[in-house]
């Protein structure tokens, strides 16, 4: 079975009603990343940071997966599929994808401020000031903030190195190291970029196809093509 690796970003959840970061009206227009998405911001103004993520958690819980998430889950019937997502929502999982790797953490987990290995599920929608880990430190979202290491990166690189097909969906490829994963694909790998601005993100070639559509249209169409090609091939 061929290996398909997917790198998704906020754009795949846009049609589920969740804001992206860098589009007009996106999250980074209302908040500066250094005010809500750095360890320094959390030390300075923990209430503001918790409020930002509490709100996003409530929105993500209320959102539903869209046709792009569901189409990617379909691929698992015929391919080895690994989803590497920069998203902190759980829409890939709720659509049925079984191997989802969250590069930037999860909205639904809290973690110790002292020990990153102390992770706790969040039952309700919020982390409040005064909620502490077993070591006594204030709980924070289990999100990878700017300036912090990306623990999943090595594993994500190892998946990219084995990809036969690599699909990039809904990411501006502006944030590293996530954006570098494309560079780890083997020479024989075929890459697809699905994004309304795909032509700004890649250069078409024999190994790169740009699909300038929203995920809700572009991904199901691509999945249909991959599945029908798979049915016609003998491997
Ligand atoms: P961005 O907001 O940077 O990029 C969103 C991408 O989605 C853009 O390329 C849009 O063109 C595209 N897009 C918008 N609507 C779409 C749709 N309906 N279908 C498909 N694509 C669409 O979001 P990310 O690339 O995910 O990190 O951002 C990467 C990281 O930057 C995030 O994980 C977050 C942020 O700062 C942290 O918070 C650490």
């Amino acid at each position: 079975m061929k290996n398909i690796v997917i790198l998704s970003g906020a754009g795949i959840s846009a049609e589920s009603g969740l804001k992206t970061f860098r589009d007009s009206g996106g999250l980074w227009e209302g908040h500066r990343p250094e005010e809500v998405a750095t360890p320094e911001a959390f030390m300075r103004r923990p209430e503001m940071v918790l409020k930002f993520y509490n709100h996003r958690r409530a929105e993500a819980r209320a959102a539903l997966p869209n046709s792009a998430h569901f189409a990617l889950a379909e691929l698992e019937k015929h391919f080895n599929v690994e989803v590497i997502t920069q998203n902190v929502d759980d829409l890939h999982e709720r659509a049925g994808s079984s191997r989802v790797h969250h590069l930037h953490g999860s909205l639904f987990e809290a973690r110790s401020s002292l020990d990153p290995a102390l992770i706790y599920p969040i039952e309700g929608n919020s982390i409040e000031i005064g909620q502490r880990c077993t070591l006594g430190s204030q709980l924070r979202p289990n999100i990878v903030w700017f300036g912090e290491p990306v623990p999943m990166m090595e594993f994500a690189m190892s998946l990219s190195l084995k990809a036969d097909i690599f699909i990039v969906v809904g990411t501006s490829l502006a944030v590293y190291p996530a954006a570098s994963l494309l560079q780890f694909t083997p020479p024989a790998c075929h890459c697809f970029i699905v994004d309304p601005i795909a032509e700004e993100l890649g250069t078409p070639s024999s190994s790169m196809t740009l699909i300038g559509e929203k995920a809700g249209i572009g991904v199901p169409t691509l999945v249909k093509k991959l599945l029908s090609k798979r049915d016609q091939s003998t491997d």
Side-chain angles (χ1 to χ4, degrees):
M1 263 209 252
K2 284 193 170 167
N3 296 327
I4 298 191
V5 176
I6 292 139
L7 173 64
S8 68
I12 196 170
S13 299
E15 287 155 272
S16 296
L18 301 179
K19 282 185 179 174
T20 63
F21 294 92
R22 296 175 181 79
D23 290 305
S24 140
L27 285 167
W28 291 159
E29 220 172 74
H31 299 84
R32 299 204 345 241
E34 55 276 26
E35 281 172 356
V36 288
T38 63
E40 294 76 22
F42 188 61
M43 278 196 296
R44 266 196 319 266
R45 298 181 69 186
E47 318 75 19
M48 181 169 162
V49 174
L50 291 181
K51 192 173 160 204
F52 175 74
Y53 287 101
N54 288 347
H55 184 64
R56 290 188 59 206
R57 187 173 303 111
E59 285 184 338
R61 273 212 216 278
L64 295 172
N66 63 52
S67 55
H69 298 102
F70 284 116
L72 292 177
E74 269 299 293
L75 282 174
E76 287 192 11
K77 291 185 188 152
H78 298 285
F79 297 94
N80 289 322
V81 182
E82 304 282 351
V83 179
I84 303 169
T85 186
Q86 296 165 88
N87 297 346
V88 292
D89 65 48
D90 60 351
L91 297 183
H92 281 297
E93 289 92 335
R94 283 200 268 143
S97 284
S98 55
R99 284 186 300 281
V100 184
H101 313 290
H102 287 270
L103 271 188
H104 293 163
S106 164
L107 275 174
F108 305 105
E109 289 171 350
R111 82 154 164 90
S112 159
S113 305
L114 288 175
D115 179 356
L118 282 179
I119 294 171
Y120 308 88
I122 300 176
E123 304 299 343
N125 276 339
S126 38
I127 304 177
E128 303 294 347
I129 295 289
Q131 281 185 285
R132 297 181 183 282
C133 75
T134 44
L135 300 177
S137 80
Q138 171 65 45
L139 288 179
R140 54 164 274 182
N142 187 27
I143 304 269
V144 175
W145 282 328
F146 288 98
E148 294 188 317
V150 181
M152 243 342 165
M153 195 56 199
E154 211 165 305
F155 179 64
M157 276 158 40
S158 74
L159 295 178
S160 305
L161 284 167
K162 286 185 278 190
D164 298 302
I165 297 171
F166 195 90
I167 305 174
V168 176
V169 193
T171 170
S172 61
L173 296 174
V175 170
Y176 283 79
S180 69
L181 286 172
L182 253 178
Q183 289 152 28
F184 289 92
T185 56
C189 174
H190 196 99
C191 299
F192 296 87
I193 299 183
V194 186
D195 196 296
I197 60 157
E199 285 181 7
E200 291 173 32
L201 301 173
T203 310
S205 69
S206 55
S207 60
M208 165 78 76
T209 304
L210 305 179
I211 302 171
E213 306 253 26
K214 288 187 174 180
I217 297 286
V219 172
T221 309
L222 171 61
V223 165
K224 224 169 164 183
K225 273 195 194 136
L226 293 173
L227 291 176
S228 76
K229 224 170 152 189
R230 156 77 184 60
D231 289 341
Q232 286 157 22
S233 78
T234 47
D235 62 351

